[in-house]
Every structure is written in C-alpha cells, then in structure tokens.
C-alpha cells in the first residue's frame, strides 16, 4: 500500500475522482512557476496495474536494476522482514481481513464488469446529453453567424437602396422642375399669344373703322347728279360689253 502511494502516477491520481483532480490542481499551484497554466485533461481510465493493486510504475522503476523478478523478490523480502521482526503480527484480524479481501475481490471480479458497464452506460448518456447540448449550441451559434452575415449583407444592400432612393428623389425633383419650367413657358406663351391677338384685333378694328369712315365719306361726298351720271356710265359700259360678247358669239 505504501508503494502504491509512493509510485502512483499522476494519471492514476487524476482518475481517482474529484479528490484526485483537486490534488493535481493543488500540486500545479505549488510546483508550477506559472500558476495560470492550464490543467491537463483528466484521462478516462487509470494507470496500469499488476495483480490488481501493484502499479506498473514500480515494475518499470525496478526493471533496469533488478530485472523481471526484482519487484517480486522485493515484495517477498519486505513481507518476510516485517513478519520476522514482528512488525506485523498475524492474528484473527489478519484472517478476517483476508476473508473480507477475498469477498471484495470476488465481488469485484463477479459484479465489476456489470457495474462498470452500467457506469459506462450512465457516463455515455451524460456525454451524449452534453454532446447534444454542445451540438445545439453550435447549431444556434452557426445560425447566429449566418444571420449576422445576412444582416451585414442587408446593411450593404441598404446602402444601395438608399442610393437608389436618392436617385429617385433627384429624378422626381428634376421632373417637377421641368414640369414647372414647361408650365411657366406655356403661361408666358399664352400671355404673348394674347398680346399678339389683342394687337391684331386692334389693327383689324382700326382698319375696319378706317374703311368704313372712308366709305362713308365717299358715299356722303357723291351728289345725286354724279350718281345719275355714274349709273348712266355703267349702263353704257354694260351695253358695250354686251355687243362685244354678241360679236364673239356670232363669229
């Protein structure tokens, strides 16, 4: 048991549960120059042993010096020394401990695989649940990344949309400006056409008034004698024209 405590590796200590992990972390805090160094991951299985309780590190330590039988000779000699010097005395408690150890070993050999399989099953279920949570978190984070990329793409497209809207507003302003210019042009043209029509009307009315005035004055200036002479002259001219026309017809 003392050799197990002396030659127990760090991997075996880590596999011994939360207490072992805490001891390893404490050893790192006291021995490591960098207290912020990350703690190595805990192994899933403990170190190798021989005969169920003797660590493999003891055999590897004594193999270069004593060979294959060295650990066994050391164990047998140490046991003989303890018994011969009566450091440990065999009594009824020894037989009780042997019986209890035999029962424990039998129970471990008999029911150990089933208990280990059940524990592995529980561990696998926990690992599976943790993996499902991890996958769900990864999926949600990946979806969040995709959503963020889509929002960034929308933000870039929003700039283009704003540019298009600015262009549309500029085109509307230009259209309104041209419509107003066209309206002003039409109004000015109408005013000018009105002035031209008004001047034309004034000129025509002046001409008509002048013609009427001249005609009235001429008619007023004609005497009855002149009127009779004019009528006689017209009748004479008509007769001359009639004779000329008859002469052309006779030919």
């Amino acid at each position: 048991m003392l050799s197990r405590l002396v030659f127990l590796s760090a991997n075996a200590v880590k596999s011994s549960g939360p207490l072992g992990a805490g001891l390893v972390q404490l050893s790192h805090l006291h021995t490591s120059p960098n207290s912020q160094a990350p703690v190595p991951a805990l192994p899933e299985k403990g170190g190798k042993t021989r005969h169920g309780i003797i660590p493999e590190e003891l055999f590897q330590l004594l193999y270069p010096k004593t060979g294959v039988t060295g650990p066994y000779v050391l164990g047998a000699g140490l046991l003989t020394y303890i018994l011969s010097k009566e450091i440990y005395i065999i009594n009824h408690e020894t037989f009780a401990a042997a019986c209890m150890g035999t029962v424990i070993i039998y129970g471990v050999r008999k029911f150990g695989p089933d208990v280990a399989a059940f524990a592995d099953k529980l561990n696998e279920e926990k690992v599976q649940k943790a993996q499902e949570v991890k996958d769900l978190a990864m999926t949600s984070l990946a979806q969040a990344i995709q959503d963020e990329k889509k929002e960034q793409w929308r933000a870039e497209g929003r700039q283009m949309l704003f540019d298009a809207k600015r262009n549309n507003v500029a085109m509307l302003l230009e259209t309104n400006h041209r419509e107003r210019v066209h309206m002003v042009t039409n109004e000015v043209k109408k005013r000018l056409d009105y002035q031209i029509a008004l001047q034309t009307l004034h000129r025509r009315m002046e001409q008509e008034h002048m013609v009427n005035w001249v005609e009235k004055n001429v008619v007023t200036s004609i005497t009855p004698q002149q009127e009779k002479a004019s009528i006689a002259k017209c009748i004479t001219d008509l007769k001359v024209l009639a004779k000329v026309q008859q002469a052309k017809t006779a030919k």
Side-chain angles (χ1 to χ4, degrees):
M1 195 64 179
L2 293 175
S3 63
R4 181 62 178 177
L5 294 175
V6 173
F7 298 101
L8 192 61
S9 64
N11 292 333
V13 172
K14 295 175 190 176
S15 63
S16 61
L19 180 60
L23 291 175
V24 172
Q25 292 180 0
L26 289 175
S27 65
H28 274 283
L29 290 175
H30 289 288
T31 59
S32 176
N34 187 6
S35 60
Q36 301 298 328
V39 179
L42 296 176
E44 295 183 0
K45 297 181 180 179
K48 295 181 180 180
T49 58
R50 293 189 183 183
H51 308 291
I53 59 173
I54 303 175
E56 180 68 21
E57 289 81 0
L58 176 61
F59 293 90
Q60 297 297 330
L61 178 65
L62 298 178
Y63 179 77
K65 300 292 184 180
T66 62
V68 178
T69 59
Y72 301 102
V73 173
L74 176 62
L78 184 61
L79 180 61
T80 302
Y81 174 77
I82 291 174
L83 293 176
S84 63
K85 295 297 183 178
E86 293 185 354
I87 297 174
Y88 181 80
I89 300 173
I90 298 175
N91 52 19
H92 63 282
E93 293 180 355
T94 302
F95 296 104
C99 294
M100 292 177 62
T102 302
V103 172
I104 292 173
I105 293 173
Y106 175 77
V108 171
R109 296 287 185 180
K110 180 66 175 178
F111 304 105
D114 296 335
V115 175
F118 178 73
D120 291 339
K121 183 178 179 181
L122 294 178
N123 189 24
E124 289 177 358
E125 291 178 356
K126 292 181 180 180
V127 171
Q128 185 176 2
K129 290 181 180 179
Q131 186 66 31
E132 289 177 356
V133 173
K134 178 182 177 182
D135 294 339
L136 182 60
M138 292 292 291
T139 303
S140 61
L141 292 176
Q143 185 64 33
I145 292 173
Q146 294 296 328
D147 294 340
E148 181 64 23
K149 290 181 178 179
K150 185 179 292 185
E151 291 300 327
Q152 293 178 1
W153 174 75
R154 288 178 178 175
E156 295 176 357
R158 190 179 298 117
Q159 186 65 31
M160 298 175 63
L161 180 61
F162 288 161
D163 293 339
K165 288 185 176 181
R166 291 192 189 97
N167 294 331
N168 291 335
V169 171
M171 292 177 64
L172 289 174
L173 293 175
E174 182 67 21
T175 302
N176 292 332
H177 174 70
R178 291 181 180 274
E179 288 179 353
R180 291 178 180 178
V181 170
H182 182 66
M183 182 179 65
V184 171
T185 304
N186 291 333
E187 293 296 328
V188 172
K189 184 175 181 298
K190 289 179 180 179
R191 299 285 180 88
L192 294 175
D193 292 341
Y194 172 75
Q195 294 296 329
I196 293 173
L198 184 61
Q199 292 178 4
T200 303
L201 179 61
H202 287 170
R203 193 180 301 112
R204 188 180 65 192
M205 291 180 67
E206 290 174 355
Q207 290 176 355
E208 290 179 355
H209 178 70
M210 182 63 67
V211 170
N212 292 330
W213 181 78
V214 171
E215 182 180 359
K216 182 178 180 181
N217 289 333
V218 170
V219 171
T220 306
S221 62
I222 297 174
T223 61
Q225 186 178 359
Q226 291 177 350
E227 185 177 358
K228 291 180 180 180
S230 178
I231 293 172
K233 183 69 169 68
C234 289
I235 293 172
T236 305
D237 292 336
L238 288 174
K239 289 179 178 181
V240 172
L241 291 174
K243 291 178 179 181
V244 173
Q245 187 65 29
Q246 288 177 1
K248 289 180 179 181
T249 303
K251 292 178 179 181

